[in-house]
Amino acid sequence: METVILAVVIAVVVLGALGGLVVGSRRKKPLPPPPTSVPDITAPPAEPHVGDEAETPRDEARRTIEEVDLPDGSAPVVVEEPPAALDVPEPTAGRLVRLRSRLSRSQNALGKGLLTLLSREHLDEDTWEEIEDILLTADVGVAPTQELVDGLRARVKVLGTRTPQELRTLLREELLKLVGTDVDRTVKTEPEDRKPGIVMVVGVNGTGKTTTTGKLARVLVADGRTVVLGAADTFRAAAADQLQTWGERVGAHTVRGPEAGDPASVAFDAVKEGKEMGVDVVLIDTAGRLHTKTGLMDELGKVKRVVEKHAPLDEVLLVLDATTGQNGLVQARVFAEVVDITGIVLTKLDGTAKGGIVIAVQRELGVPVKLIGLGEGADDLAPFDAEAFVDALIGD
């Protein structure tokens, strides 16, 4: 009996020792850190606040929300990120005057050449032929050249003795007659009975058509207008990206479609969104079409017809590379047969172009030059001013 009692006591002691070891080991384990009073600011809230509207991805990207458990139970602090800075385009008023020196550096060879010949004491037939050659070389065109020479001959004969200032005045007046000072060169973007104004930009590849569309958006924004851009050039790789970049710089929305998609559909959607957004102007950039490709020209006609299901086009601007000279007139004729051209945009007029193309293309189409490009800068597109242009041609 004593043996049994002793065994039981030993067992109890052993079990008690083992229990103490287990408890001691548990007490030595580190306790978890106490919960922080400020949750992770990057974690979304467990439940949305009642009445909050769902945010779009664009809204989420434009702001950061910091939620802090404030002692007074205030609402979360919302920190607005500043929007990306937009470009501030140069005012359009007087743009051509500011760019006159750039234009005159490349163009006044025409005026200087004419003034030099007209200053000769005796103006014989050989001299008049030289004057004609200068005008034809400057891409003035045959008919306008003959008209200008006839006018100069008649006035010089009456004038008799000619001082340099009299010759300059005479030449300026005759050139202004050809260029035209009584023509409405306003880009029509403000129809009286509706919004938005609709402008379609057309032209062949390489004339700077998409760039011109982007620069025209800057001109309109500088004048306080709101703009939607339609990237209907779906055939050229990255054309839509290029146009969208121009739009983003000035805060203009761009409507685009899939690459190689239907350009007429994109143009239709651009006008539709422009109307819904209540903007002032929709600019539609079309694919650069070779004037010799019948199928592509037919597609351009389709774009025009589809857009006019919304409203009539207010402007169809044909972009011409001024350096192509008389070849540009061939392009102009074909485009005019497909769509009703209402205005000309002459680009690259600050390079090797000859100023006479302004006269020739207007005479060919019976349509005024409304805008000219005088460089690669974002604000180097200027409304055409006949007097400033002629002054640049003949120099100071």
Side-chain angles (χ1 to χ4, degrees), residues 119-322:
S119 298
R120 290 180 180 177
E121 186 176 353
H122 299 290
L123 297 178
D124 54 18
E125 288 301 320
D126 291 338
T127 302
W128 287 112
E129 287 183 7
E130 289 183 59
I131 292 174
E132 289 182 359
D133 289 341
I134 288 178
L135 293 169
L136 292 172
T137 303
D139 287 329
V140 172
V142 176
T145 291
Q146 192 60 53
E147 183 178 329
L148 180 58
V149 169
D150 289 345
L152 289 172
R153 293 183 89 164
R155 296 191 64 179
V156 166
K157 185 176 181 180
V158 172
L159 188 61
T161 303
R162 306 174 300 279
T163 66
Q165 186 56 45
E166 288 173 332
L167 286 174
R168 185 179 300 278
T169 300
L170 182 152
L171 181 59
R172 184 179 188 275
E173 291 174 353
E174 292 299 319
L175 285 171
L176 281 174
K177 286 181 183 178
L178 287 182
V179 175
T181 57
D182 57 349
V183 180
D184 183 6
R185 301 183 188 276
T186 306
V187 178
K188 302 294 190 302
T189 57
E190 298 182 83
E192 296 180 357
D193 56 341
R194 59 180 168 81
K195 285 178 69 174
I198 307 172
V199 179
M200 188 163 74
V201 184
V202 303
V204 302
N205 291 309
T207 58
K209 180 180 49 56
T210 299
T211 298
T212 297
T213 306
K215 289 183 178 181
L216 179 55
R218 293 180 65 90
V219 169
L220 294 169
V221 170
D223 288 341
R225 319 296 300 286
T226 52
V227 179
V228 161
L229 296 170
D233 185 351
T234 60
F235 297 114
R236 184 169 65 87
D241 291 338
Q242 181 185 356
L243 189 65
Q244 184 167 351
T245 299
W246 278 104
E248 289 174 348
R249 290 176 181 175
V250 293
H253 175 59
T254 301
V255 177
R256 53 189 297 177
E259 188 173 341
D262 181 16
S265 176
V266 176
F268 183 87
D269 290 343
V271 177
K272 179 181 178 182
E273 291 194 30
K275 292 173 69 174
E276 292 173 350
M277 295 171 65
V279 300
D280 297 313
V281 188
V282 174
L283 297 179
I284 301 172
D285 177 37
T286 60
R289 285 155 169 77
L290 295 174
H291 60 286
T292 56
K293 300 294 184 181
T294 305
L296 293 177
M297 296 301 288
D298 290 343
E299 182 68 31
L300 181 61
K302 177 185 174 183
V303 172
K304 179 179 182 291
R305 292 192 299 274
V306 168
V307 168
E308 289 182 332
K309 291 182 179 180
H310 280 299
L313 283 166
D314 298 290
E315 285 278 5
V316 179
L317 298 176
L318 173 62
V319 180
L320 293 176
D321 182 343

Side-chain angles (χ1 to χ4, degrees), residues 50-116:
V50 178
D52 282 356
E53 296 182 358
E55 290 185 341
T56 65
R58 184 174 183 179
D59 294 330
E60 294 174 353
R62 295 177 71 174
R63 70 178 190 171
T64 302
I65 300 179
E66 296 182 359
E67 295 192 6
V68 182
D69 291 336
L70 300 177
D72 59 356
S74 300
V77 178
V78 178
V79 180
E80 294 285 346
E81 292 184 356
L86 299 178
D87 288 356
V88 180
E90 292 183 8
T92 57
R95 241 189 222 198
L96 184 55
V97 175
R98 293 196 302 275
L99 298 172
R100 176 181 164 182
S101 60
R102 186 180 305 171
L103 178 63
S104 62
R105 282 197 299 270
S106 61
Q107 300 296 327
N108 63 15
L110 168 62
K112 287 182 178 179
L114 293 176
L115 286 173
T116 299

